[in-house]
């Protein structure tokens, strides 16, 4: 279950910074960087805390750079890039290996004249439910150790203390004072910000506050954003390392004095071992289960009516997303049901039910106590799918009927009479959605007032979701002994399906139109949205037409890491995602590959009437596996370039990407016992 990067990759800084690691804490906080140790994003940091879980995150500690001193010789292990691309120090040259099992681990190898190299192992763990990081340093035995006077490690904390979207610049307001007693360091740089504790048992502290200037974050530069930051250093720590005796360093926003760091680490390891206990012995699945754990977080008191209720939600992606309704409902089956986390699923469904307004789920919850946004049409409909799959997995009839069915009825009623953004059931029984300047579907890029893919009218996947919402609602009404009401809803579903059959088939292309716009004009853009007419629990499209859609999707949109949002032949196709915000947003759904769409693609394969397609579905997973060892190691990127080699872009860890691959693996038994077969992008480009 361990992913590796070897010396050749690690010593090549250009290559090493393309790969990232992340540790999370179930509160919305994290520790993350590139595997080289060089921060390349404003979002990288050793301690990023969610001050009001899962929101209002603050980047507190950017780095803890190490130097090893052996017999008076100093070896810097840190890596930083400054302005003009100056790299100092260049500690990546000492890296021998990186691995990701339950935790990210690094092995440094320091050559000593006349001796075998000194090896230092470093492990980083974030503790679930706490804004606490543990770093374990372990000096490995080596020949000639007894002939060295001592091996000492020096630790240099670089503090940011800012909102996670912001950047720190040198200022006079920073508080220089710090406390250090019995190995415990404490500081607070600004009033109203969290305390920072660093515990180094047996260590010494040397106070010399100063600024480090002009750190260069190259990913931010690539994204056309502010990419330069200054960091504050209060001083440095030093301690002698002993062979066979790990040094456990703790960073936290709470005083960790009463805690045993090694025991805390072992408890966290046991928690993660339990996550994969009883799951299929498949290394890909195990890594995805661990990745899934990172997105399920605590949310407290988000009901419009207040109260002290503690709920749960899903972080849509790291590093910059919070919890989004659409992403949460799409992700819930994979993150929670496929992993047996039924109580988390129940909390999430209940939490969102308390935030339904005018028959709509929030599109996203905002920071700083701002009200939720409701600008989406599909998240609410995905809620029905999540509820249905929860019921199938758990049989929890009482919760669904007594607590959720009234909410689902409210949603259906609002959609029939009309709600925000002109969302309403049209005369033909299909669902209309949209207003000028609004982006309501998952293809939601907007630049100023320009909606890149407006899709106003009747988008194809919205009709499939609406039909499924009606079918699911009718089934639940029957379960609640409301047969007459269920029959009326079934009539509405049948009418919607009949209208869909007459409007959406594009005979000239042998596939489904993407949208029937507000003027009744069909949009023949070939997009993956049509797959949902096949893949959802109640299919709107079957037989030869479904096979035709699957065929053209495979030929034009399928890649090893997801589905393109447009085919290369389309005039609007953009082969690479990148550049400033305008270029990124204008290409977001214009060819860019989306990992989460592998889920509905596999669903469609498995529903195929052209014979068993399980072997094709197994190949889809096999082709995808290499990605777990690139980008965010052990997780799934949000998007990829449309053209080979499909470089990962966007969020380095995306909930629905992890969830949908995990879901179909578990649901259709697509796992195996062969482990992760990591192959090169060159090999993948030939598939």
């Amino acid at each position: 279950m361990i992913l590796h990067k070897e010396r050749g990759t690690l010593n090549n800084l250009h290559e090493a910074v393309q790969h990232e690691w992340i540790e999370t804490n179930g509160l919305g906080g994290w520790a993350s960087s590139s595997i080289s140790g060089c921060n390349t994003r404003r979002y990288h940091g050793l301690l990023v805390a969610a001050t009001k879980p899962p929101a209002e995150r603050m980047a507190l500690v950017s780095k803890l750079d190490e130097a090893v001193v052996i017999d008076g010789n100093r070896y810097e292990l840190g890596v930083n890039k400054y302005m003009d691309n100056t790299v100092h120090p260049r500690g990546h040259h000492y890296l021998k290996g990186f691995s990701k099992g339950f935790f990210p681990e690094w092995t440094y190898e320091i050559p000593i004249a006349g001796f075998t190299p000194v090896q230092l192992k470093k492990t980083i763990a974030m503790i679930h439910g706490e804004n606490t990081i543990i770093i374990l340093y372990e000096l490995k035995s080596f020949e000639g150790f007894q002939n060295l006077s001592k091996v000492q490690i020096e630790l240099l904390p670089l503090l940011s203390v800012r909102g996670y979207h912001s950047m720190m610049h040198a200022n006079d307001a920073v508080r220089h004072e710090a406390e250090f007693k019995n190995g415990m360091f404490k500081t607070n740089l600004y009033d109203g910000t969290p305390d920072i504790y660093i515990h180094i048992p047996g260590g010494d502290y040397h106070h010399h506050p100063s600024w480090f200037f002009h750190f260069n974050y190259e990913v931010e530069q690539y994204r056309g954003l502010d990419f330069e930051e200054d960091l504050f250093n209060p001083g440095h720590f030093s301690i002698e390392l002993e062979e066979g005796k790990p040094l456990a360093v703790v960073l936290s926003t709470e005083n960790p004095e009463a805690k045993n760091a090694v025991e805390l680490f072992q408890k966290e390891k046991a928690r993660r071992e339990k996550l994969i206990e009883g799951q299929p012995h498949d290394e890909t699945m195990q890594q995805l289960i661990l990745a899934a754990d990172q997105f399920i977080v605590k949310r407290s008191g988000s009901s419009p009516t207040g109260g002290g209720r503690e709920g749960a939600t899903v972080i849509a992606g790291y590093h910059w997303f919070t919890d989004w309704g659409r992403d949460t409902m799409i992700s819930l089956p994979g993150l929670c049901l496929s992993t047996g986390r039924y109580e988390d699923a129940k909390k999430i469904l209940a939490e969102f039910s308390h935030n339904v307004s005018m028959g709509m789920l929030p599109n996203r919850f905002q920071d700083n106590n701002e009200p939720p946004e409701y600008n989406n049409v599909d998240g609410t409909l995905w809620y029905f799918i999540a509820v249905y799959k929860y019921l199938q997995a758990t049989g929890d009839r009482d919760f669904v009927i007594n607590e959720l069915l009234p909410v689902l009825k409210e949603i259906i009623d609002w959609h029939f009479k009309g709600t925000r953004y002109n969302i309403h059931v049209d005369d033909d029984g299909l669902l209309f959605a949209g207003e000028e300047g609004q982006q309501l579907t998952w293809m939601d890029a907007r630049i100023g007032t320009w909606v890149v893919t407006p899709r106003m009218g009747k988008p194809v996947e919205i009709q499939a979701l609406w039909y499924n919402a009606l079918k699911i609602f009718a089934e639940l009404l029957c379960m609640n002994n409301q047969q007459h009401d269920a029959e009326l809803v079934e009539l509405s579903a049948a009418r919607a399906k009949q209208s869909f059959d007459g409007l959406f088939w594009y005979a000239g292309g042998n596939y489904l139109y993407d949208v029937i716009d507000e003027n009744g004009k069909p949009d023949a853009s070939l997009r993956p949205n049509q797959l949902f007419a096949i893949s959802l629990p109640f299919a709107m499209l079957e037989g030869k037409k479904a096979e035709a859609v699957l065929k053209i999707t495979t030929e034009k949109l399928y890649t090893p890491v997801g589905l393109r949002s447009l085919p290369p032949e389309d005039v609007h196709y953009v082969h690479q995602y990148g550049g400033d915000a305008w270029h990124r947003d204008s290409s977001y759904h214009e060819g860019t590959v989306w990992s989460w769409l592998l889920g509905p693609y596999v669903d469609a394969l498995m529903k195929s009437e052209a014979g068993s397609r399980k072997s094709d579905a197994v190949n889809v997973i096999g082709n995808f596996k290499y990605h777990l060892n690139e980008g965010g190691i052990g997780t799934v990127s949000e998007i990829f370039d449309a053209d080979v080699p499909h470089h990962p872009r966007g969020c380095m860890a995306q909930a629905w990407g992890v969830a949908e691959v995990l879901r179909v693996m578990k649901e259709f038994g697509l796992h195996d016992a062969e482990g992760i077969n990591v192959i090169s992008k060159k090999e993948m480009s030939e598939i």
Side-chain angles (χ1 to χ4, degrees), residues 10 54 191 202 220 239 528 553 590:
L10 296 163
D191 291 338
E220 304 302 317
I239 187 171
T553 299
E590 304 288 59

Side-chain angles (χ1 to χ4, degrees), residues 158-463:
L158 295 167
L159 310 183
S160 46
V161 189
R162 56 170 170 80
Y164 73 123
H165 290 308
S166 307
M167 296 282 253
M168 165 74 89
H169 298 289
N171 62 83
D172 295 330
V174 68
R175 186 175 288 126
H176 285 208
E177 294 79 17
E179 302 174 15
F180 186 78
K181 185 178 180 181
N182 298 326
M184 182 69 70
F185 170 90
K186 176 187 176 183
T187 192
N188 183 286
L189 295 195
Y190 306 102
D191 291 338
T193 64
D195 292 332
I196 298 172
Y197 291 89
I198 303 177
H199 187 217
I200 304 178
D204 295 320
Y205 172 65
H206 312 272
H207 190 65
H208 45 77
S210 60
W211 285 96
F212 281 56
F213 300 98
H214 307 310
F215 289 86
N216 181 329
Y217 302 144
E218 65 178 56
V219 174
E220 304 302 317
Q221 185 175 11
Y222 176 79
R223 290 165 58 84
L225 301 172
D226 179 17
F227 59 91
E228 181 183 340
E229 179 163 48
D230 306 325
L231 298 173
F232 182 73
N233 166 240
H236 77 273
F237 309 98
S238 60
I239 187 171
E240 188 171 340
L241 292 175
E242 299 180 39
E243 182 186 9
K245 184 178 179 182
L247 168 66
V249 176
V250 182
L251 293 84
S252 184
T253 58
E254 303 290 337
N255 190 336
E257 187 175 17
K259 297 178 179 178
N260 183 303
V262 174
E263 289 181 3
L264 204 57
F265 174 83
Q266 292 299 334
K267 182 180 178 182
E268 178 60 24
K269 184 179 180 183
R271 188 191 73 84
R272 299 187 190 193
E273 289 173 338
K274 192 175 175 76
L275 293 175
I276 63 172
E277 189 177 278
Q279 297 288 348
H281 185 67
D282 176 88
E283 294 182 342
T284 304
M285 184 174 287
Q286 290 177 351
Q287 283 289 349
L288 289 171
I289 290 170
L290 293 175
D293 177 61
Q294 298 183 325
F295 300 100
I296 302 169
V297 299
K298 172 183 173 182
R299 172 171 276 284
S300 300
S302 60
S303 169
T305 58
R309 184 187 66 258
E310 180 173 311
T313 188
V314 169
I315 294 295
Y318 293 102
H319 303 90
W320 49 82
F321 283 124
T322 53
D323 43 345
W324 290 59
R326 173 193 301 119
D327 300 58
T328 297
M329 295 311 139
I330 292 172
S331 301
L332 184 146
L335 298 185
C336 299
L337 305 181
S338 296
T339 58
R341 299 177 68 151
Y342 303 137
E343 190 60 32
D344 286 325
K346 186 173 184 176
K347 284 182 178 181
I348 293 167
L349 293 172
E351 180 66 25
F352 274 84
S353 75
H354 297 305
N355 287 277
V356 169
S357 167
M358 294 177 64
M360 297 176 69
L361 254 66
N363 186 38
R364 73 181 180 107
F365 293 102
Q366 301 191 86
D367 284 328
N368 304 313
N369 294 319
E370 295 179 32
E373 293 181 342
Y374 288 87
N375 56 324
N376 81 101
V377 60
D378 47 354
T380 305
L381 303 177
W382 277 108
Y383 188 62
F384 285 77
I385 307 295
V387 169
Y388 185 67
K389 291 191 173 184
Y390 171 81
L391 180 61
Q392 287 182 314
T394 65
D396 189 357
R397 182 184 181 280
D398 288 345
F399 170 64
V400 171
I401 296 300
N402 296 329
E403 294 191 37
L404 300 188
L405 183 56
V407 177
L408 300 183
K409 181 184 184 303
E410 178 187 351
I411 291 171
I412 294 292
D413 288 346
W414 271 102
H415 280 66
F416 271 106
K417 70 182 179 182
T419 184
R420 298 177 180 91
Y421 307 113
N422 202 17
I423 298 171
H424 67 275
V425 178
D426 213 345
D427 292 339
D428 57 9
L430 297 174
L431 197 64
F432 184 100
E435 292 177 348
E436 288 291 340
Q438 295 295 332
Q439 72 285 31
L440 301 180
T441 72
W442 78 274
M443 291 188 162
D444 58 357
R446 185 173 71 177
I447 304 170
T449 58
W450 174 40
V451 178
V452 182
T453 49
R455 308 184 74 232
M456 187 163 65
K458 298 170 184 174
V460 63
E461 81 279 13
I462 301 306
Q463 309 318 312

Side-chain angles (χ1 to χ4, degrees), residues 541-559:
L541 195 70
E542 297 172 309
K544 291 182 179 179
K545 288 183 177 179
E547 293 300 321
V549 166
L550 186 55
K551 181 176 185 292
I552 198 167
T553 299
T554 301
E555 293 173 351
K556 301 292 187 181
L557 303 180
Y558 170 73
T559 79

Side-chain angles (χ1 to χ4, degrees), residues 598-643:
L598 285 178
Y601 179 67
V602 169
D603 286 328
L605 281 173
M606 295 301 292
K607 286 188 172 186
S608 170
E609 296 180 8
S612 175
R613 302 291 291 270
K614 185 170 182 177
S615 61
D616 293 334
V618 169
N619 287 336
V620 168
I621 302 303
N623 293 343
F624 176 79
K625 287 181 179 182
Y626 83 93
H627 172 61
L628 292 182
N629 206 36
E630 68 162 4
I633 305 297
T635 189
V636 178
S637 297
E638 176 189 16
I639 53 176
F640 303 79
D641 287 340
D643 282 0

